């Protein structure tokens, strides 16, 4: 979840994934660069990887649990400027992943960028969304901060395979482990 692979390795992985049929690419920012204030390096890396996505969606994971509020805001700006398609909260590999507080800060930053540029970027909270209540909390944050325009699968996705399994199990009346 620290994104420490080299930019060349990440670009190779994106190309390889595309060549093997991937329709979307997820990448993790280099947390060390963020902590060192090397935001231009993060921006250039994202742009390079986007260039290897061959038109596929690029979701950039900023691993919010490892960032300060100011770093979250800055990363939302960087990701928005990079041409990536989505900003994603986390990999889900850390003990604390998405939080409503981080989602709120990120949505405010996405909204500020949209109001400044007219460019819409998607949002994906992921990790730790385990109940319908959790999902409703994130949906509500997006609705209240970003508005109805974001309430489609083109602009909002919830990273919650556990919830999908729970819902399918409830609907079908037996345990389902689809994801």
């Amino acid at each position: 979840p620290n994104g420490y692979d080299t930019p060349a390795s990440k670009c190779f992985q994106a190309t390889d994934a595309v060549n093997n049929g991937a329709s979307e690419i997820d990448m993790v920012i280099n947390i060390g660069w963020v902590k060192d204030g090397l935001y231009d390096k993060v921006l250039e890396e994202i742009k390079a990887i986007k260039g290897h996505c061959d038109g596929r969606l690029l979701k950039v994971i900023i691993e919010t649990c490892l960032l300060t509020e100011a770093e979250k805001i800055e990363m939302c700006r960087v990701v928005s400027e990079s041409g990536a398609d989505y900003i994603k909260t986390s990999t889900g590999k850390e003990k604390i992943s998405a939080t409503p507080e981080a989602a709120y800060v990120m949505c405010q930053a996405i909204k500020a960028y949209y109001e400044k540029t007219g460019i819409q970027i998607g949002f994906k909270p992921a990790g730790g969304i385990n109940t319908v209540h959790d999902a409703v909390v994130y949906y509500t944050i997006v609705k209240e901060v970003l508005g109805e325009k974001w309430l489609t699968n083109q602009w909002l996705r919830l990273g919650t395979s556990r919830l999908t399994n729970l819902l399918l199990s409830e609907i079908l009346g037996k345990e389902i482990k689809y994801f």
Side-chain angles (χ1 to χ4, degrees):
N2 297 317
Y4 290 148
D5 285 352
T6 66
S9 175
K10 290 179 180 180
C11 288
F12 171 80
Q13 291 172 50
T15 298
D16 190 50
V18 166
N19 289 342
N20 282 289
S23 60
E24 300 181 6
I25 304 296
D26 283 26
M27 67 161 287
V28 181
I29 61 166
N30 184 313
I31 299 297
W33 289 351
V34 175
K35 294 298 182 183
D36 289 341
L38 302 174
Y39 303 126
D40 288 342
K41 285 187 83 165
V42 176
L43 177 64
E44 292 308 311
E45 179 181 64
I46 298 168
K47 285 180 177 181
I49 293 165
K50 180 65 177 171
H52 286 263
C53 289
D54 196 29
R56 302 330 190 266
L57 289 178
L58 176 61
K59 295 178 288 198
V60 178
I61 302 165
I62 67 171
E63 207 64 76
T64 55
C65 65
L66 302 176
L67 305 179
T68 66
E69 184 171 320
E71 289 167 340
K72 291 172 196 164
I73 293 167
E74 187 63 15
M75 281 303 90
C76 286
R77 179 194 65 78
V78 166
V79 174
S80 296
E81 289 179 2
S82 74
D85 303 288
Y86 277 85
I87 301 173
K88 188 172 171 182
T89 59
S90 54
T91 59
K93 305 242 185 256
E94 294 290 325
K95 185 175 181 178
I96 298 173
S97 296
T99 65
E101 296 79 12
Y104 184 77
V105 167
M106 292 172 70
C107 286
Q108 286 181 316
I110 291 167
K111 181 179 181 179
Y113 183 79
Y114 177 71
E115 288 174 344
K116 179 180 175 185
T117 66
I119 298 170
Q120 195 169 354
I121 187 159
F123 175 60
K124 184 174 181 178
I129 304 171
N130 299 316
T131 67
V132 172
H133 178 266
D134 293 339
V136 169
V137 167
Y138 290 100
Y139 177 91
T140 302
I141 291 168
V142 171
K143 181 179 180 184
E144 294 302 317
V145 176
L146 294 172
E148 298 279 338
K149 189 171 185 174
W150 263 265
L151 298 180
T152 71
N153 66 352
Q154 181 180 1
W155 302 110
L156 171 64
R157 298 194 184 163
L158 299 177
T160 176
S161 55
R162 283 181 234 133
L163 179 59
T164 303
N165 289 339
L166 290 172
L167 289 172
L168 286 171
S169 296
E170 186 69 29
I171 291 166
L172 298 175
K174 62 181 180 179
E175 185 178 13
I176 301 295
K177 291 186 177 181
Y178 187 77
F179 292 102

